[in-house]
Amino acid sequence: MSTGMLFDIRRYSIHDGPGIRTTVFFKGCPLRCAWCHNPESQSGRPELLLHPNRCIDCGACAEACPNGAIRRADGAWITEHARCTACGRCVEVCYAEARQIVGRAYALDETLAAIERDQAFYAQSGGGVTFSGGEPLAQPEFLLELLRACKAAGLHTALDTCGLAAWEQFERVLPLVDLVLYDLKLMDAERHRQYTGVSNQHILSNLQRLCEQGKPVWLRLPLIPGVNDDEANLSAAAAFAAGLAGRPPVFLLPYHNSAAAKYAGLGLPYRLPGVVSPDEAHLHAAAEFFTRAGLNVTFGG
Ligand code: SF4
Ligand code: SF4
């Protein structure tokens, strides 16, 4: 039986599709969005995440580390992430729970058992299961097996995707997917590359093909002040969305900087320091671009 690299399975989710859902978070993503609020989703391997505010300064982690990745400097224990192999020994000895390994291999039956636990809630609320990440299509075999099993159990399935995958991968899973949550970020290819590490060309063409097939799609646009909230980008995004078959609804997701501590805990740079969340007026002004284009707009979701 196959396994998949996941970093969380979250129950009672109400923001990843209709109704009450269980969201399965795949680890590993081909994009590196500067605003990513799940930076632990990006690498496809287990990682060490630190919670320094919980540290009681005992030094047990430094003694346990076989790689000499933890040292004392300026009155604190410093972890060099570049030397860390995520072996987890320091986690085992840290009674303050200031250290955590994020991500592990989940067996198919273990994942299914977690999903099927809340079937009664799905039935009552019109919910189901959402495969998110990271990018689920980066682990296509595991995703396919999960989808087959979920459909056999009669569950509503949603795929939350960044859109960067070979079209053949979409074709394999689409018959088993009821709804696609699709990210729309930046319309200019060069700026898309600057902020995510990749061009948007393939992502946009996959989205067009998906909509032409008649598959229900919800567009999700994270609104990030100073990055993609300018008139040129919002006009272009609205025109593109309005030109898609089926004219999918648009969900505007306000940026928030709550993930900054996670970047530090993973030893990753945070590329948007100082960017603040858009306020209500800002959100409504952005929504106008889409409503004027005749699209249905929702905040959050
Ligand atoms: S073992 Fe945990 S509590 Fe002790 S120094 Fe290391 S991180 Fe801090
Ligand atoms: S997880 Fe990293 S820091 Fe912790 S003991 Fe292993 S190598 Fe050392």
Side-chain angles (χ1 to χ4, degrees):
M1 189 172 281
S2 69
T3 61
M5 179 60 64
L6 307 178
F7 70 92
D8 201 5
I9 299 177
R10 208 169 292 161
R11 301 166 70 194
Y12 311 123
S13 166
I14 53 166
H15 297 295
D16 294 318
I20 296 172
R21 313 187 70 80
T22 292
T23 303
V24 178
F25 290 91
F26 284 58
K27 192 156 164 40
C29 182
L31 271 61
R32 291 291 179 269
C33 301
W35 54 84
C36 179
H37 64 279
N38 283 330
E40 72 275 37
S41 73
Q42 294 179 344
S43 160
R45 292 189 299 198
E47 286 172 283
L48 177 67
L49 173 62
L50 305 175
H51 305 283
N53 56 327
R54 298 182 194 160
C55 176
I56 54 170
D57 210 20
C58 69
C61 52
E63 271 180 48
C65 180
N67 295 325
I70 306 166
R71 62 185 164 80
R72 192 79 176 160
D74 299 328
W77 294 104
I78 305 296
T79 299
E80 287 178 54
H81 286 267
R83 299 179 79 160
C84 174
T85 55
C87 71
R89 303 235 182 110
C90 61
V91 176
E92 287 165 20
V93 300
C94 179
Y95 296 108
E97 298 185 353
R99 314 176 74 84
Q100 174 191 358
I101 298 294
V102 189
R104 68 172 174 87
Y106 281 68
L108 188 70
D109 53 359
E110 175 189 15
T111 311
L112 280 172
I115 293 168
E116 289 177 349
R117 222 165 129 183
D118 289 332
Q119 285 205 36
F121 293 113
Y122 310 153
Q124 280 165 16
S125 67
V129 57
T130 298
F131 298 105
S132 182
E135 175 51 59
L137 287 166
Q139 298 183 60
E141 300 308 325
F142 189 60
L143 176 64
L144 199 56
E145 286 187 59
L146 279 173
L147 282 166
R148 282 192 188 120
C150 288
K151 289 320 287 178
L155 301 183
H156 179 275
T157 58
L159 172 66
D160 179 12
T161 179
C162 71
L164 187 58
W167 176 249
E168 293 68 37
Q169 300 296 3
F170 276 100
E171 278 187 317
R172 289 175 77 204
V173 301
L174 282 182
L176 301 162
V177 172
D178 296 308
L179 170 69
V180 181
L181 312 177
Y182 206 104
D183 292 351
L184 194 60
K185 293 162 176 161
L186 276 156
M187 299 308 292
D188 179 80
E190 208 31 61
R191 286 180 69 205
H192 195 279
R193 187 187 298 280
Q194 178 190 346
Y195 282 104
T196 71
V198 299
S199 164
N200 60 5
Q201 282 176 347
H202 195 53
I203 293 169
L204 295 179
S205 73
N206 278 343
L207 175 56
Q208 284 170 319
R209 292 176 86 165
L210 198 58
C211 292
E212 280 160 16
Q213 293 211 346
K215 185 59 68 180
V217 171
W218 289 5
L219 292 177
R220 309 225 283 185
L221 190 140
L223 191 71
I224 309 129
V227 174
N228 69 349
D229 64 336
D230 53 287
E231 188 176 340
N233 185 59
L234 292 173
S235 304
F240 184 83
L244 291 169
R247 299 167 73 82
V250 176
F251 292 77
L252 283 181
L253 314 177
Y255 164 82
H256 54 81
N257 62 6
S258 57
K262 276 200 277 187
Y263 280 83
L266 291 163
L268 297 173
Y270 188 53
R271 291 166 58 200
L272 299 179
V275 175
V276 295
S277 302
D279 60 21
E280 195 98 335
H282 198 152
L283 277 174
H284 282 279
E288 273 291 298
F289 286 88
F290 297 92
T291 49
R292 275 203 302 268
L295 295 159
N296 232 318
V297 183
T298 304
F299 298 129

